[in-house]
Amino acid sequence: QKFVFVDEWTCIACRNCCDVAPRTFCIDADAGRARVFAQWGNSEELLDYAVQACPVDCIYWVSRDELQVLEYVTRDRMFETGNSLPCSMAARQGTGGGLSDPFSMASDFQAKLEEEAERRRRGGAPQGTSASVTEMQQRIQELFGKLSDRLRTAGRG
């Protein structure tokens, strides 16, 4: 099953999608760009027409997994920028700030997740930690051994 996603950095807030499929799309009050607020609020026919009616091709059909990552990286970047987006028309003309590409951000995020999963699978410490897990376990065992018998038995329940 496919879902609709709006690239808010590319959107010019023309409202075509909102006019075609008003139960699915809205203009976000803070960012001033189109956003999907209810997946499948309208029929597939209207959603497909909304995708085709976009003058800047910023609405995409994506899978559920893609949608989750795209929404996460979009919200994360929006939080970093204080929910402000550069003027997409000015950016296209080279006079405004650069446009972020949510698909490349999602790809980078997925690669990072896969790298961390691989590191965990190999038994290495997560990136940014100073001690490995085994060193931490050894330290805990050492400190636990220094406790009195009464505290050790109380700690084990």
Side-chain angles (χ1 to χ4, degrees):
Q1 186 176 13
K2 294 289 186 172
F3 299 87
V4 285
F5 171 76
V6 177
D7 175 356
E8 295 179 39
W9 284 273
T10 307
C11 178
I12 58 172
C14 69
R15 299 193 48 84
N16 284 357
C17 57
C18 299
D19 293 339
V20 171
R23 285 185 254 150
T24 300
F25 298 96
C26 69
I27 299 294
D28 181 72
D30 294 328
R33 308 290 170 87
R35 180 172 292 163
V36 175
F37 73 92
Q39 289 289 342
W40 298 103
N42 294 96
S43 68
E44 184 174 357
E45 181 181 356
L46 288 177
L47 294 176
D48 201 37
Y49 185 69
V51 170
Q52 294 174 20
C54 179
V56 292
D57 296 325
C58 70
I59 306 171
Y60 300 89
W61 287 104
V62 297
S63 70
R64 177 183 293 276
D65 292 336
E66 291 172 313
L67 180 66
Q68 290 174 336
V69 175
L70 286 164
E71 286 184 344
Y72 175 80
V73 297
T74 298
R75 294 300 137 240
D76 191 48
R77 181 61 59 92
M78 293 293 280
F79 179 78
E80 289 173 6
T81 62
N83 211 33
S84 64
L85 294 164
C87 174
S88 56
M89 294 298 280
R92 286 173 179 271
Q93 296 170 358
T95 58
L99 293 177
S100 295
D101 177 15
F103 292 94
S104 65
M105 290 188 303
S107 177
D108 293 345
F109 179 73
Q110 283 291 110
K112 180 182 168 188
L113 289 179
E114 289 169 8
E115 182 181 304
E116 288 177 7
E118 178 65 24
R119 187 176 291 116
R120 268 188 250 112
R121 190 182 63 73
R122 288 191 316 245
Q127 190 173 9
T129 60
S130 59
S132 72
V133 173
T134 55
E135 290 172 350
M136 185 71 73
Q137 288 172 337
Q138 290 172 351
R139 181 78 175 130
I140 290 170
Q141 287 175 348
E142 176 186 323
L143 292 173
F144 191 75
K146 291 180 180 180
L147 294 174
S148 68
D149 288 337
R150 187 176 61 82
L151 285 174
R152 266 189 269 164
T153 55
R156 289 188 181 152

